[in-house]
Amino acid sequence: MKHQLIKLVCEQSGITEGQADQAVDAVIGYFKTRLPAETNEEIVSLVQGHNDDELE
């Protein structure tokens, strides 16, 4: 799923894939500092692709 997010950010913002990767990481990092641990774990798991089958 992270790859899909990076692609979406690239397409919608016109930045490079490397920049989009950094942007996605920044958003994930922001959530880590603001959300409860359980929610954060779910987001990280989702972004890392553990639930891709459920989303497609």
Side-chain angles (χ1 to χ4, degrees):
M1 172 144 223
K2 183 177 178 183
H3 181 72
Q4 293 169 325
L5 290 172
I6 292 169
K7 184 177 176 181
L8 180 66
V9 171
C10 285
E11 291 171 357
Q12 292 190 1
S13 66
I15 61 177
T16 68
E17 189 170 322
Q19 292 169 321
D21 184 39
Q22 290 178 332
V24 169
D25 284 342
V27 171
I28 293 168
Y30 175 81
F31 286 148
K32 284 181 180 181
T33 64
R34 301 293 193 274
L35 297 174
E38 303 82 32
T39 305
N40 182 42
E41 289 173 14
E42 290 179 31
I43 290 172
V44 170
S45 179
L46 180 67
V47 170
Q48 289 177 346
H50 296 282
N51 294 324
D52 274 1
D53 293 338
E54 294 175 18
L55 297 173
E56 296 182 44

